[in-house]
Amino acid sequence: MSFTVRTMTQADRHEVSELIYISINYWYQTHGCPPIFTGGPSSCDIFFDVYETLDPGCGIVAEHNETGKLMASCFYHPREHHVSLGIMTAHPNHFGSGAGKALLQFIIDFSEDQQKPLRLTQSAINVDSFSLYNKTGFVPRHAYQDMFLEIPEAGFAHQPEGLSHVRPATGHDIPEMSELEFQLAGITRDKDYQYLIENQDGLWSMSVYICPESGKVAGFLGSCSHPATNLIGPGIAVDDRVAIALLAHQLNQHPGKTPVFLLPVESETLVRTAYDWGARNCEMHFCQVYGDFQPFQGVNIPTFMPETG
């Protein structure tokens, strides 16, 4: 099938949103799961809007040469020490056409030119996408369990130890947040922290845990309250205790909603605490990496927007 890979433009916004909405829902519904997105394709405009704001010109599409319709789309995010691969979708009519593979190769070539590893957070139940990444050289490095929790209208009632050391993040915290994530995960993404802290569209929250002994940032955690992507993350913490306090603080930012969060499977205390709060599992994800990878220290809590990797 003949198609052209090109940079995404503002004129593609609505078609990209429809592509994301249709392709993701189709895959889950044909595999016995409920749809991920509701409310119509326009609910997925947020992906284009956020990614284009953070990284203008870093979206690509595969356009059918005869019809001019978009067959597949993907976003990528160059950062100081790595490149993140954002949401990748292909229209169900074009599954297996090679369009998704072509977009992935474009981004792999970009990351190699940049001499940076390429990272993503990928569904563990979608064997087709797993195979696509794995065959092209990605290696699964970390596993997460996706959990969700209904938050009462009155807010999150639990008060774990250390919650008093959590406060909203400010721009002044960014250097310490960046230093901490580089120590624990080998990456930094200052523009992402800044975007969540500024919260210009009223959807985002970012909090930090301040160590009472040192006065330094010992962890941070963000979240998004948009209906299409009500997710906790991104975040990192020096240990489970700090992560628990941060998670409690962020859950309290979503009264009356049911946010989803990804917890590392080996963070036993954190996971058990989430169960005690009433959280349930809904999926599994892998951190997949093409190229060099520094093993995580502490607790890494990824998300899909901005894509953590």
Side-chain angles (χ1 to χ4, degrees):
M1 187 173 293
S2 178
F3 57 83
T4 299
V5 173
R6 63 167 174 82
T7 299
M8 198 180 294
T9 70
Q10 185 66 37
D12 297 316
R13 178 175 181 261
H14 295 302
E15 193 172 356
V16 167
S17 299
E18 186 170 18
L19 185 60
I20 293 171
Y21 189 89
I22 290 172
S23 62
I24 299 294
N25 281 349
Y26 177 89
W27 191 91
Y28 278 93
Q29 289 179 286
T30 55
H31 288 78
C33 302
I36 296 295
F37 303 121
T38 58
S42 62
S43 64
C44 291
D45 287 346
I46 184 173
F47 291 97
F48 181 96
D49 294 342
V50 171
Y51 289 142
E52 185 64 18
T53 298
L54 281 170
D55 299 289
C58 290
I60 52 174
V61 295
E63 181 181 280
H64 195 290
N65 287 340
E66 294 183 11
T67 67
K69 296 293 186 181
L70 300 187
M71 299 168 58
S73 68
C74 190
F75 301 89
Y76 59 101
H77 323 294
R79 292 297 178 261
E80 294 89 342
H81 304 285
H82 74 296
V83 178
S84 283
L85 194 153
I87 187 168
M88 175 181 281
T89 55
H91 193 283
N93 290 344
H94 300 296
F95 286 173
S97 67
K101 184 177 181 180
L103 296 184
L104 179 58
Q105 190 60 53
F106 178 99
I107 300 171
I108 288 174
D109 292 344
F110 173 85
S111 67
E112 289 183 337
D113 288 343
Q114 295 281 308
Q115 297 184 323
K116 295 177 181 179
L118 179 59
R119 302 160 63 128
L120 76 149
T121 305
Q122 182 260 330
S123 171
I125 65 173
N126 190 334
V127 178
D128 293 331
S129 67
F130 176 87
S131 299
L132 171 64
Y133 297 126
N134 204 225
K135 287 178 180 178
T136 53
F138 283 82
V139 178
R141 297 292 190 178
H142 215 59
Y144 305 95
Q145 52 197 87
D146 300 25
M147 307 184 81
F148 66 94
L149 181 61
E150 296 181 14
I151 309 300
E153 292 284 354
F156 188 68
H158 296 277
Q159 301 282 316
E161 178 188 358
L163 186 59
S164 62
H165 303 309
V166 180
R167 62 163 172 77
T170 73
H172 297 294
D173 296 314
I174 291 176
E176 286 190 28
M177 295 166 64
S178 184
E179 180 182 1
L180 179 68
E181 187 159 34
F182 187 72
Q183 291 174 353
L184 299 183
I187 64 173
T188 59
R189 44 210 165 98
D190 293 15
K191 69 162 68 174
D192 296 346
Y193 316 144
Q194 186 72 43
Y195 183 80
L196 269 65
I197 290 170
E198 289 179 352
N199 188 27
Q200 292 185 2
D201 48 12
L203 297 172
W204 310 92
S205 174
M206 177 66 84
S207 52
V208 290
Y209 183 105
I210 304 300
C211 178
E213 292 81 18
S214 66
K216 297 285 189 178
V217 172
F220 62 83
L221 186 61
S223 68
C224 179
S225 62
H226 191 278
T229 176
N230 190 194
L231 296 165
I232 306 294
I236 201 155
V238 296
D239 56 32
D240 281 11
R241 177 180 56 85
V242 170
I244 289 168
L246 285 163
L247 181 59
H249 186 270
Q250 279 301 325
L251 290 171
N252 197 41
Q253 310 307 306
H254 301 271
K257 298 182 178 180
T258 306
V260 175
F261 42 94
L262 278 64
L263 303 184
V265 295
E266 79 279 5
S267 294
E268 183 178 356
T269 302
L270 174 60
V271 170
R272 293 294 173 189
T273 299
Y275 281 136
D276 290 343
W277 291 344
R280 298 167 59 190
N281 292 307
C282 57
E283 198 177 341
M284 300 287 293
H285 273 79
F286 292 126
C287 167
Q288 292 233 51
V289 182
Y290 181 97
D292 294 336
F293 173 69
Q294 173 184 312
F296 292 125
Q297 301 178 54
V299 181
N300 181 64
I301 300 177
T303 188
F304 310 116
M305 188 161 55
E307 180 74 37
T308 301

